[in-house]
Every structure is written in C-alpha cells, then in structure tokens.
Amino acid sequence: MIEFRLDRHSGVPSYRQIIDQVRHAIRLGILRPGDQLPTVREVVRQITINPNTVHRAYRELELQGLTEGRTGSGTFVCQSLSEVPSQQPKLAGQLETWIRRAHEAGLGTEAIEALFAEAMHAQKEVE
Amino acid sequence: MTIALATVDLGRRYMMNWALRNCTLEVPEGSITGLVGPNGAGKSTLLRLAAGISRPSEGSVTAFGQRANQNSTAFLNRVGYLDQDRPLYKNFRVEEMLKLGQKLNSSWDNSSATRWLVELEIPLDWKVSLLSAGQQAQVALAMCMGKRPDLLLLDEPMASLDPLARRGVKQMLLDSVTERGTTVLLSSHIVDELEEICDHLIILSKSTVQKSGTVESLLANHRVLIGPEVSARFDSVEVIASSTAGRQATLLIEGDPGPLSSEWRVLSPDLNEIVLGYLAKSSATRYRATGVRETSPDEERS
C-alpha cells in the first residue's frame, strides 16, 4: 500500500504528484504487480483533495499501462518499471555516504541538489 | 460534459445598483467550483439567484435544465443552499435539528448527517445556541448536505472556522462528491482554500465574471513576464495586468508569448497571483507580482 503526500507549494499539479509518487514507488519496488492502490475515497480522505483529480491521475496511470482498474474491486499495479538492478542498494549506500561527506564539508541541501542536478545535466550532454 | 448550473446574461438590480450583471457561465456536473472575489463582488447575489431565493432582474439561471424556483419541489429536491448566516433554530438541540431535517425532506440521509456530526465531535444533545460559531457552521452544512442534493450552493462555508474545523468541512464535502458525484459551487475570498479542493474557478469582481475555467487551464495559460519597460510590447498575448518600477515592467499575461529575448524572465504565477491580476484589472488598482516561481521545463512539457 502507498500513502500519498502533496506538496502544495511545489507548483507541480496535484494529479502529476500522485502519478509521480506511484511511478516512484513502482520503480523502488514499494509497489509490485498485483498490489492495490488506495481507493479514490481513501486518497481523498488522506490528503483532502478533489476526487476528480485522483480519478484523473489513476486514469493516466492506466493509460501508461502501469495499473489496471478492476470493476468493483479497485485499481491494481500490473507492470513493474525496469527491474530494480541488483546494484541499486550498494549505489544508494554510496550516495548516502557522499551526501554525508558533502554535509560535513559545509554544503547545504540546496547546494547539494544543485551539484547533483549539474552533474546529471553534464552526463546527459556526454550521452 | 453535463452542465449542472447555467446562467445566461444573468443580472440582478437592487434599486439603481446592479449587484450582478452580464453573468454567463456554466458549472459542469460533478465539479467543485470555487467562486472568488472581493466583498461586494456579487458572489452572494449569484448564489441566491442560483438557489431561486432571489429572482433575476434580467437573464436566466437554470439547474439541471430547470429554472431556479423556490416553489418547485422538483427544483428544491435537487438543489441545496447554505446561506452565509447559517440559518438554524438556536433553541433546538442538534438531534432535534436532524429530526426536523428528516421530517421535512423525503430524501433525508440521517445516518450520513449523524455520522458527519459525530466525526466532527459535535455533541448531539446540546442546544444549537451553545455551540461555537464553527460548530454551528458545521451543523448548518450537515443539514444542507443531509437532504442529498445534486447541486450544493455554499456561501462562504468555511468563513469563521478554525483550520481544524475547515478540514472537517472540506472532508464532508469531498466525501459527498466522491460518493454521490455531487456538484458543488462554493464562495470564498481565500484563494488558497479553494485551490486545494476546487477543479474549476470563477473570478467575480465589479458585479461581473472576470474569468472562469478549470484551475489547471488557468495555471497553464498564464505567465508573468519581467523585463525592460521599453520593450514591453506583446501582440500575441493578452496582458491582464501590468506594473512598472523604474525601467522594469512586470506583466501578467494570458497565452503563449513565444520565444522572448534573453532580457525577459518568464515565471509561472500561482492561482492567487492570477486572481489578484484579474482583480487589479477590473478595479484599476496597482498590480504587484508576488506569487510567482520559475517555470520548470517539466511543466512546459506537460
């Protein structure tokens, strides 16, 4: 099961935040094929959001082929996003170490994010 | 898309003054539509006309194809209206109000009305007059929703409520929309409050509709441009509001400005900013961009 959070000041539309969180959870293996998403009603209660927005997010997830709605029983994950590589936990650990070192070196969260974004960007240009 | 509420050239005059004029709009079925504008903009007038409590001086207003009319049972069964004054019998106990609702409405849903009030921790055996203003507002809303209308017209349902009570009221509303597909038109002058739950917005000012649309399209179609005043000429977009400070110009625009020279910064306004822009436009007050942020490339894509 997944619990949604909304960042109301991020400027990212609510329906997109829901989609992103589901995709993210699937990618990390928190949601697996066969798992059920919370019902629209539950999401509305959880994060005080317009039900039409949740419907819209769920519809789009279905269109992306990630979930399927089963009449009367809910919405289920039906596809996984690129199997989690076996290397992932190790890489995550290395990243955490790196972040700790950056903090120790006096870098703030914002500076770290900027560095990361820049490195990603540079990598993209190489590719 | 089915239309729950439609007005055509709707107007209402009190003596020599128009409280509302040239109002043409549609509220889609199943939507939660926010009605926003300053005090005296005509919000309450519009809601009262829609509820059939006041009669149009010109134009028409229909709900589900029926003309708004308080004498029509068919109309009253489908439309619920909550006045700003929260009409309740102050000497009744809350449970007596519920009983009254049951006696007066054939479609009364007593279990839901009771459940809402219990969840909000309102003592059912208390007299209405002993409840706080916020609790009275919640009882009034439960009375309004208990008759299971298809269209809810709510005049400032969250005014004078503390944040916790507001959340309770919002959840009551969202529950009903989720379960029954109720259409809601609610007024407020706090945009942030509406942004959270509304999918449509109507901006009302100076007795007329300044802008209406889905929240998403409003956000997607407006931009704030900041740049040198001398080159502030844009032909392909509509300038809603603008201001200058020295040589710098700030403009709220609707539409796509296309590629701009590097001296211009393009920002995304939040909903509050857009509303303020339209209000500045209608009242010729000074416009100042405050609620803006950088446009993210991700958003441009979607």
Side-chain angles (χ1 to χ4, degrees):
Chain A
M1 205 44 130
I2 176 174
E3 232 177 71
F4 295 109
R5 279 162 288 105
L6 272 196
D7 180 355
R8 307 223 182 250
H9 301 289
S10 67
V12 180
S14 308
Y15 79 94
R16 187 149 288 285
Q17 292 190 37
I18 294 177
I19 294 171
D20 289 347
Q21 284 169 34
V22 171
R23 291 186 66 99
H24 194 73
I26 295 177
R27 182 164 284 131
L28 291 178
I30 296 168
L31 283 177
R32 300 207 179 118
D35 283 354
Q36 188 179 1
L37 294 185
T39 63
V40 171
R41 211 195 134 152
E42 282 162 351
V43 181
V44 167
R45 292 229 121 196
Q46 250 173 39
I47 52 179
T48 326
I49 186 181
N50 187 313
N52 299 326
T53 309
V54 187
H55 278 301
R56 170 150 185 215
Y58 278 20
R59 219 168 28 238
E60 193 152 317
L61 284 165
E62 224 170 290
L63 282 175
Q64 294 176 0
L66 291 172
T67 63
E68 59 179 2
R70 294 180 204 155
T71 323
S73 51
T75 306
F76 294 84
V77 179
C78 59
Q79 193 192 318
S80 61
L81 280 165
S82 61
E83 285 301 309
V84 180
S86 57
Q87 296 262 33
Q88 186 169 309
K90 193 178 158 203
L91 286 164
Q94 286 170 344
L95 187 59
E96 278 164 28
T97 315
W98 182 84
I99 290 172
R100 204 166 37 244
R101 274 172 44 206
H103 271 303
E104 282 160 12
L107 264 63
T109 307
E110 212 167 296
I112 293 175
E113 278 170 0
L115 267 183
F116 190 77
E118 207 168 302
M120 287 291 281
H121 188 70
Q123 187 61 33
K124 242 182 232 165
E125 301 219 317
V126 173
E127 282 168 14
Chain B
M1 185 176 68
T2 325
I3 300 303
L5 179 77
T7 70
V8 179
D9 297 328
L10 183 66
R12 169 74 198 191
R13 191 176 56 203
Y14 294 103
M15 308 292 278
M16 296 297 287
N17 300 316
W18 288 94
L20 189 72
R21 205 160 191 199
N22 300 327
C23 173
T24 300
L25 53 84
E26 290 179 337
V27 174
E29 191 170 4
S31 72
I32 306 182
T33 301
L35 189 57
V36 62
N39 295 325
K43 301 190 296 285
S44 298
T45 304
L46 174 57
L47 288 167
R48 291 173 63 86
L49 287 165
I53 286 171
S54 120
R55 293 187 169 243
S57 307
E58 59 179 32
S60 69
V61 49
T62 51
F64 304 107
Q66 300 177 52
R67 211 164 266 266
N69 180 357
Q70 279 284 313
N71 297 322
S72 152
T73 320
F75 177 82
L76 284 179
N77 278 341
R78 300 197 72 179
V79 178
Y81 167 72
L82 178 62
D83 194 271
Q84 232 170 341
D85 296 332
R86 282 92 186 237
L88 293 168
Y89 292 101
K90 302 269 153 69
N91 277 323
F92 276 36
R93 293 176 197 287
V94 176
E95 56 204 6
E96 290 168 334
M97 281 301 305
L98 292 174
K99 194 173 269 178
L100 182 70
Q102 187 153 29
K103 297 265 185 227
L104 291 178
N105 298 287
S106 52
S107 58
W108 185 256
D109 178 0
N110 206 48
S111 62
S112 294
T114 311
R115 193 191 70 225
W116 289 322
L117 295 179
V118 168
E119 275 176 18
L120 292 166
E121 297 182 346
I122 288 175
L124 300 183
D125 53 348
W126 281 29
K127 279 194 178 180
V128 170
S129 56
L130 293 176
L131 301 176
S132 69
Q135 287 174 320
Q136 289 189 20
Q138 290 167 336
V139 174
L141 182 62
M143 293 299 296
C144 191
M145 287 172 52
K147 69 173 214 168
R148 287 194 277 191
D150 296 317
L151 171 64
L152 266 173
L153 304 164
L154 309 173
D155 201 351
E156 302 269 0
M158 288 176 277
S160 82
L161 297 189
D162 64 58
L164 199 66
R166 256 175 227 210
R167 201 182 150 79
V169 162
K170 279 184 214 161
Q171 272 173 347
M172 259 169 90
L173 277 176
L174 292 171
D175 252 8
S176 171
V177 175
T178 314
E179 271 169 36
R180 307 196 49 247
T182 315
T183 308
V184 181
L185 176 62
L186 80 165
S187 70
S188 172
H189 45 245
I190 304 169
V191 181
D192 291 342
E193 193 169 279
L194 294 175
E195 186 171 13
E196 220 180 285
I197 57 170
C198 292
D199 44 25
H200 284 68
L201 195 73
I202 300 168
I203 304 173
L204 205 64
S205 157
K206 297 283 166 188
S207 312
T208 192
V209 176
Q210 303 293 337
K211 186 76 191 171
S212 71
T214 65
V215 169
E216 202 186 320
S217 69
L218 289 173
L219 289 171
N221 297 338
H222 290 81
R223 289 287 176 269
V224 166
L225 307 182
I226 300 175
E229 208 256 325
V230 281
S231 61
R233 306 282 173 273
F234 299 96
D235 297 327
S236 61
V237 297
E238 192 187 345
V239 176
I240 309 303
S242 65
S243 69
T244 51
R247 293 187 196 87
Q248 179 180 279
T250 306
L251 300 93
L252 175 69
I253 58 158
E254 184 183 19
D256 182 4
L260 295 173
S261 62
S262 61
E263 57 196 353
W264 284 94
R265 281 174 70 208
V266 183
L267 302 167
S268 291
D270 61 23
L271 203 58
N272 211 13
E273 181 67 25
I274 295 170
V275 170
L276 287 175
Y278 277 95
L279 298 187
K281 179 191 179 193
S282 66
S283 63
T285 51
R286 201 173 132 75
Y287 166 72
R288 284 170 60 201
T290 47
V292 293
R293 59 192 163 69
E294 301 288 341
T295 340
S296 65
D298 179 57
E299 197 182 339
E300 294 288 327
R301 195 195 60 213
S302 62

